[in-house]
Amino acid sequence: NPTVQIESAISDTQFVVSLTDQSKFSKGKICHVHNADYSESNEINVLEVNGATITLASSLGFTPDNNHSIDLIGFEDGGLPYRLL
């Protein structure tokens, strides 16, 4: 599963990723946003991708920053992410 760093945040529902990572996101996909120790962590579906700006379907409950990572986004070919249970 790819892991992507947030470049900057706009709000608790929008953030910006690098131009090289934007193609990893698409509408409806899950994304798990978290900080290093997972004390801020939430899974939300992607509502819209506009260039490198990602809009989520609902609030994360916190505003992420460039210390937050995103995983469980699946693969560019549309494949679903792997999840360890």
Side-chain angles (χ1 to χ4, degrees):
N1 291 320
T3 298
V4 172
Q5 286 296 125
I6 291 179
E7 297 283 319
S8 63
I10 299 168
S11 69
D12 61 346
T13 60
Q14 285 189 314
F15 52 83
V16 178
V17 297
S18 73
L19 293 175
T20 57
D21 287 328
Q22 72 184 26
S23 63
K24 294 179 173 86
F25 295 86
S26 61
K27 183 178 179 176
K29 280 191 167 184
I30 296 170
C31 66
H32 177 224
V33 180
H34 61 87
N35 60 359
D37 68 1
Y38 290 82
S39 61
E40 293 181 320
S41 175
N42 208 344
E43 288 183 26
I44 306 287
N45 287 65
V46 174
L47 178 66
E48 180 181 29
V49 179
N50 186 6
T53 301
I54 310 301
T55 303
L56 302 176
S58 60
S59 171
L60 285 167
F62 58 90
T63 300
D65 59 32
N66 62 352
N67 294 310
H68 286 78
S69 300
I70 308 160
D71 50 28
L72 292 180
I73 55 177
F75 299 91
E76 290 182 46
D77 67 358
L80 297 173
Y82 294 102
R83 184 187 302 259
L84 297 174
L85 300 176

